[in-house]
Amino acid sequence: MESDPERGAQSKQNLISENSGGLGCCGWILVIISAFFSILLFPITVFISIKIVKEYERAVIFRLGRITSRKPKGPGIFFVIPCTDSFVKVDLRTISFDIPPQEILTKDSVTVSVDGVVYFRVSDPVASVANVSNADYSTRLLAQTTLRNVLGTKNLAEVLSDREGISQSMQMTLDEATDSWGIKVERVEIKDVKLPQQLQRAMAAEAEAAREARAKVIAAEGEMNASRALKEASLVISESPSGLQLRYLQTLTTIAAEKNSTIIFPLPMDVISHFIKK
């Protein structure tokens, strides 16, 4: 892991050392001739020599095929020498792109379809021009392979629950890989995880069965608590005959409040106990 940033720094250092070399005798002669004619025909060449780049752009200038400076030009106005200089504009704004849905086999042998979105920007315009032919396209392809490699080491439960961790892992991997290209990966997000229809039905059935089991356990616990409360209440009432009679009268009051046609004849508890003794 430590060798990747070192390789990126080494590639940039090699590029700078190559730029430090001179143009050579013939090169300087061509530059001087081109500059002379540019000054001589200034009213005509002024429209060719003056270039403008916007605030969010930078220009990498090539002089006879060599990068003139490790620092790009811009923003604003800069000059180029006709016939010997050429330049490439680089956009520094953050670019986002969608990762197409990828069919991925997880660690527990489940096939899922996953897509995402990546946000990146150019941090080193010189490296993005000189070290890779198409930084944008290369980053898109690398994001697809990185998504496959990262999710291939996760099981289905981790893919569904740990999206933030997967996004951070992908961001670190992409950022290290694109460092030598002058690309900074700012953010990676997993958008959607699509499961096969059969697996969705199986997971739905499993979740429903688990909910029913929890409901039965809760109902059983409620009935047990209610029975214990009734048992304790009956023990308390049985110790006081007058309390039992008051409870009986309260029950009659509750029934009478419902306005039904049932007629109840309350009997004193003493009378009933007298017949029971006989």
Side-chain angles (χ1 to χ4, degrees), residues 178-191:
T178 58
D179 182 65
S180 61
W181 300 346
I183 300 296
K184 173 64 178 178
V185 179
E186 296 180 337
R187 191 177 183 88
V188 179
E189 292 292 342
I190 301 299
K191 291 174 60 178

Side-chain angles (χ1 to χ4, degrees), residues 225-239:
N225 293 332
S227 62
R228 289 176 179 173
L230 289 175
K231 180 181 179 181
E232 293 176 358
S234 63
L235 293 175
V236 173
I237 293 175
S238 63
E239 295 176 357

Side-chain angles (χ1 to χ4, degrees), residues 63-234:
R63 180 166 295 164
L64 296 178
R66 292 177 177 270
I67 297 177
T68 58
S69 174
R70 68 183 68 180
K71 185 177 180 181
K73 299 295 183 181
I77 299 176
F78 64 96
F79 296 90
V80 296
I81 302 175
C83 302
T84 60
D85 290 359
S86 61
F87 69 97
V88 178
K89 285 184 180 181
V90 179
D91 196 331
L92 301 183
R93 292 177 294 182
T94 299
I95 301 172
S96 63
F97 65 88
D98 292 327
I99 302 176
Q102 304 292 312
E103 294 290 336
I104 298 170
L105 185 64
T106 61
K107 188 176 180 180
D108 50 354
S109 300
V110 178
T111 302
V112 295
S113 178
V114 183
D115 59 353
V117 60
V118 177
Y119 300 87
F120 73 96
R121 62 179 176 84
V122 176
S123 60
D124 189 345
V126 176
S128 67
V129 172
N131 289 356
V132 61
S133 61
N134 191 330
D136 181 86
Y137 183 67
S138 300
T139 304
R140 292 172 186 267
L141 294 181
L142 184 61
Q144 296 179 20
T145 57
T146 303
L147 180 64
R148 289 177 176 269
N149 294 336
V150 172
L151 293 183
T153 61
K154 307 289 184 180
N155 54 39
L156 181 60
E158 293 175 343
V159 172
L160 296 177
S161 61
D162 191 20
R163 293 191 181 186
E164 184 177 355
I166 294 173
S167 299
Q168 292 179 355
S169 178
M170 283 190 59
Q171 179 184 353
M172 294 177 59
T173 304
L174 282 173
D175 197 24
E176 292 177 359
T178 58
D179 182 65
S180 61
W181 300 346
I183 300 296
K184 173 64 178 178
V185 179
E186 296 180 337
R187 191 177 183 88
V188 179
E189 292 292 342
I190 301 299
K191 291 174 60 178
D192 190 17
V193 179
K194 295 182 180 179
L195 304 177
Q197 294 293 332
Q198 296 180 353
L199 182 59
Q200 291 182 12
R201 289 193 292 267
M203 293 178 66
E206 181 182 0
E208 184 177 358
R211 287 194 296 269
E212 291 180 355
R214 287 195 298 269
K216 290 180 180 179
V217 170
I218 293 173
E221 291 178 354
E223 292 179 357
M224 184 179 298
N225 293 332
S227 62
R228 289 176 179 173
L230 289 175
K231 180 181 179 181
E232 293 176 358
S234 63

